[in-house]
Amino acid sequence: MRLLHFLLLISMSFFISSAAVKKTKKILVFSKTAGFRHASIPKGKEALLLMGKQKNFLVDTTEDASFFTTEKLKQYDAVVFLSTTGDILNNEQQAAFENFIRSGKGFVGIHAAADTEYQWPWYNKLVGAYFLSHPKQQKAKLTITDHKHASTKHLPHVWERFDEWYNYKSRNNDVKVLMTIDESSYEGGKEGAYHPMAWYHSYDGGRAFYTALGHTDESFKEENFLKHLQGGIKYAMGRK
């Protein structure tokens, strides 16, 4: 009986350990560029790797589009496009990524992720808008419109910060907006009184989060921005 009890304890320990491993979330940070390349990409990678260690999720980074196959993507809970630009995936890779989202997984777009894949309508809906233009980098005031989301619940109602502020085109009006920018607080805004800068939505079976913030190196050392990004990743991974 003692031997049987011991074997049962060993089996239970193995089962619990295996379950714990399975629960560990994993993301892929993709930063390939075929257009303008942001100098902040290395700082972004460093910040996301550190965030994973601190918040108990695994992080892989790559600029190799061959990762976009059904077999390779299935190990991840979300894919982060870190200031990607231009045409970065071929037709087969696009199809694999569409299937990834349709399987219930997540997407996070940071800054120039909106300056990516202009000939892929599905991606336009996923990311939520395409980049149009931007003025010089400067301070501006952001208004938080949703304080319940994990990416914004820590932020003040009006958040003033320095960044590069995008104007957009081809917006997906089905997204849920998290913050807008006050165009009277800076020069160069082209969208008027309602200018969304971060949003999330359920899309084609999966989840998507996008933030316009993150152009500068300093962003990836800024506590409020990192918490904002962490909340978006948490949503995309499906963590409650």
Side-chain angles (χ1 to χ4, degrees):
M1 287 295 293
R2 287 182 179 179
L3 178 60
L4 179 60
H5 183 64
F6 176 76
L7 290 173
L8 283 171
L9 286 174
I10 292 295
S11 298
M12 288 177 66
S13 297
F14 178 78
F15 176 79
I16 292 170
S17 297
S18 298
V21 169
K22 289 180 181 178
K23 289 180 181 177
T24 302
K25 299 286 188 176
K26 188 175 185 180
I27 67 171
L28 177 66
V29 178
F30 186 52
S31 52
K32 181 178 178 180
T33 55
F36 181 82
R37 185 169 181 84
H38 283 72
S40 61
I41 287 174
K43 294 297 182 184
K45 289 180 183 179
E46 290 175 14
L48 289 166
L49 286 164
L50 180 59
M51 185 185 295
K53 289 180 180 178
Q54 293 174 338
K55 301 302 177 182
N56 193 35
F57 60 88
L58 302 174
V59 182
D60 287 341
T61 67
T62 189
E63 300 200 354
D64 182 359
S66 70
F67 264 72
F68 285 74
T69 67
T70 298
E71 186 64 27
K72 289 181 179 178
L73 288 177
K74 70 180 182 181
Q75 65 184 295
Y76 301 105
D77 297 282
V79 172
V80 179
F81 277 32
L82 173 60
S83 283
T84 52
T85 56
D87 186 359
I88 52 176
L89 298 177
N90 64 30
N91 290 340
E92 291 76 17
Q93 292 158 354
Q94 289 177 3
F97 187 51
E98 289 180 12
N99 289 333
F100 171 79
I101 295 297
R102 288 171 185 144
S103 72
K105 301 300 183 69
F107 165 80
V108 172
I110 301 174
H111 195 55
D115 188 21
T116 302
E117 294 290 353
Y118 288 93
Q119 304 304 315
W120 186 10
W122 182 90
Y123 179 79
N124 182 197
K125 293 292 186 182
L126 176 76
V127 71
Y130 279 141
F131 166 77
L132 174 64
S133 63
H134 66 78
K136 66 181 181 180
Q137 296 170 44
Q138 59 195 292
K139 277 189 177 181
K141 292 180 179 178
L142 299 161
T143 300
I144 309 307
T145 58
D146 180 350
H147 277 285
K148 294 181 180 179
H149 195 268
S151 67
T152 50
K153 63 183 181 180
H154 65 288
L155 294 172
H157 179 64
V158 176
W159 183 21
E160 185 174 12
R161 64 186 302 277
F162 182 93
D163 214 318
E164 180 179 77
W165 307 112
Y166 278 5
N167 298 302
Y168 295 91
K169 61 183 179 180
S170 301
R171 284 192 176 275
N172 179 355
N173 293 322
D174 292 330
V175 302
K176 297 178 180 179
V177 174
L178 293 163
M179 68 176 71
T180 60
I181 193 164
D182 179 358
E183 289 196 356
S184 70
S185 69
Y186 72 108
E187 297 178 354
K190 295 184 180 296
E191 296 190 50
Y194 189 66
H195 187 157
M197 296 300 278
W199 50 81
Y200 73 102
H201 62 131
S202 297
Y203 179 71
D204 206 9
R207 298 166 301 279
F209 167 86
Y210 172 81
T211 181
L213 287 55
H215 173 83
T216 65
D217 285 6
E218 291 75 17
S219 293
F220 294 99
K221 297 178 182 178
E222 181 186 346
E223 183 178 1
N224 273 341
F225 172 71
L226 290 172
K227 285 184 177 180
H228 169 60
L229 192 53
Q230 177 194 328
I233 292 171
K234 180 179 179 181
Y235 165 77
M237 291 192 300
R239 278 188 173 178
K240 295 182 179 180

